Amino acid sequence: MLGQATSGPELIALVGPTGVGKSELAISLAPGLNAEIVSADSRQIYRYMDIGTAKPTLEDQARVPHHLIDIVDPDEIYTLAMYQEEALHCIDGIIKHGCVPLLVGGTGLYVRAVVEGLQIPHVAPNPKVRAELEEKARTCGPEALYQELSRVDPAAAAKIDPQNLRRIIRALEVYHLTGQPISHLQRADGSRYRVLMIGLTMPREELYHRIDARVDRMIARGLVEEVKRLVAMSYGYELPAMSGLGYKQIGSYLRGEIGLDEAIKMIKYQTHRLARQQYMWFRLSDPKIRWLEQGPEAASAAYRLTRAFLSGTGSI
């Protein structure tokens, strides 16, 4: 990660692949640090989408203040620039009332926007261009849009999950409106905060087993019923939010295109793929990330790191 400040108010960022246990670690750390959690998860922003996005429970949210969860409806547009503005506002507010901001999530671009002071192109959403791209996705499949993005902006395509239709459309929208790749327009001008980045990791096969178990729990908790409920609320399958992991595959099952077992298998496979992509964002070789192995000692190690950082006795 580039652009971290050596002075300024402190910000702790907890990153890593999906399913590794970032939320649980953050919730265990927060009380002892007098911290509030700012979500850096591009799926937990949506209201009514709780099970498939693995949101913290209402009990956890009551125990530790959370920000930027449940902030838009599934059919609303929410851009990276909007996230950055709201995240910075939340973080500054947390600092102002004497608490520690804890940025938690696996959406690399969200983390970069805050930690690196990413300069985001101010290109307003264009309904006409967006509608044309969405229609192409419906008729030709999301793969066609991803292939187009790979041609015009390979740097952006390399960091976007091919299943993340919302981000693919936004990158193509910026390209069509400006003639420039979004990766060229985004630059890091440096953070306004002094940042400690902690990464949580575990052996790949163990992570996959953990992901698979979480998917099974989502099904048991009612993911199928959640998708049915969203459709009944008039949130159509074509919405970018509904093309997210879990919702897309269960949608295919509910339309009779695949069986439930196949849908579950696809969710697990695609979540493994997302985890691999997140390791591209948060590299194990990055010297600015203090990587901790998930396990019984992770919480105590993270607490020691954060206390040393906040007291000024630890380096970043």
Side-chain angles (χ1 to χ4, degrees):
M1 291 287 175
L2 302 173
Q4 294 183 18
T6 56
S7 62
E10 289 87 2
L11 169 67
I12 298 167
L14 179 57
V15 302
T18 186
V20 77
K22 298 181 297 295
S23 293
E24 295 91 336
L25 178 57
I27 290 165
S28 71
L29 283 176
L33 300 175
N34 190 28
E36 298 185 11
I37 293 171
V38 179
S39 173
D41 189 303
S42 62
R43 300 183 340 126
Q44 293 182 357
I45 61 172
Y46 294 115
R47 301 184 187 100
Y48 321 121
M49 305 180 80
D50 302 328
I51 298 172
T53 62
K55 277 181 194 163
T57 65
L58 294 178
E59 292 77 14
D60 286 335
Q61 293 185 52
R63 180 183 170 198
V64 177
H66 283 67
H67 303 268
L68 302 187
I69 289 176
D70 291 333
I71 54 176
V72 293
D73 289 342
D75 58 354
E76 289 184 76
I77 292 171
Y78 193 76
T79 66
L80 177 63
M82 294 166 69
Y83 171 80
Q84 183 188 51
E85 180 179 359
E86 293 195 42
L88 295 175
H89 178 75
C90 285
I91 291 167
D92 289 343
I94 292 167
I95 293 168
K96 188 174 182 180
H97 65 246
C99 294
V100 175
L102 184 53
L103 184 70
V104 182
T107 300
L109 208 48
Y110 276 18
V111 175
R112 277 194 69 199
V114 174
V115 169
E116 299 183 21
L118 196 65
Q119 296 302 298
I120 300 166
H122 291 283
V123 180
N126 184 293
K128 182 176 182 295
V129 172
R130 188 161 290 195
E132 290 171 354
L133 291 168
E134 289 172 350
E135 178 61 26
K136 182 174 180 179
R138 280 192 293 272
T139 57
C140 304
E143 301 81 9
L145 292 188
Y146 187 76
Q147 289 171 7
E148 179 183 349
L149 181 61
S150 298
R151 290 194 300 272
V152 302
D153 191 353
K159 292 192 171 184
I160 295 178
D161 186 337
Q163 303 299 315
N164 193 329
L165 185 58
R166 180 175 57 83
R167 283 190 58 202
I168 294 169
I169 287 176
R170 178 56 180 166
L172 286 172
E173 180 184 37
V174 169
Y175 178 78
H176 287 308
L177 292 172
T178 67
Q180 299 183 66
I182 194 171
S183 61
H184 291 183
L185 296 171
Q186 294 171 338
R187 67 182 190 279
D189 277 1
S191 176
R192 66 175 77 172
Y193 311 108
R194 191 169 71 93
V195 182
L196 169 67
M197 294 197 69
I198 297 175
L200 192 60
T201 187
M202 65 192 313
R204 194 68 57 92
E205 287 305 314
E206 289 182 29
L207 177 61
Y208 291 165
H209 288 310
R210 187 180 173 104
I211 286 169
D212 292 350
R214 187 174 73 166
V215 172
D216 290 336
R217 288 195 301 272
M218 288 176 177
I219 296 298
R221 288 181 55 208
L223 180 56
V224 173
E225 289 71 24
E226 181 170 86
V227 178
K228 287 180 181 177
R229 191 160 53 246
L230 286 161
V231 174
M233 295 170 69
S234 299
Y235 296 119
Y237 293 118
E238 75 284 353
L239 290 173
M242 293 288 278
S243 69
L245 258 175
Y247 297 92
K248 177 181 178 180
Q249 292 80 9
I250 296 301
S252 294
Y253 160 65
L254 291 175
R255 294 193 301 271
E257 297 167 0
I258 58 176
L260 181 58
D261 288 347
E262 180 65 17
I264 294 170
K265 182 179 178 181
M266 290 171 67
I267 295 169
K268 292 176 179 178
Y269 173 80
Q270 293 297 339
T271 309
H272 296 176
R273 183 174 183 173
L274 172 61
R276 292 194 296 272
Q277 283 214 317
Q278 288 170 319
Y279 274 121
M280 293 172 60
W281 275 101
F282 308 114
R283 299 183 306 279
L284 293 172
S285 60
D286 189 336
K288 293 185 177 64
I289 302 178
R290 298 294 188 88
W291 286 100
L292 301 176
E293 191 84 9
Q294 171 64 285
E297 302 301 317
S300 57
Y303 188 73
R304 287 193 298 271
L305 275 176
T306 52
R307 293 307 307 175
F309 170 71
L310 294 171
S311 68
T313 61
S315 60
I316 59 173

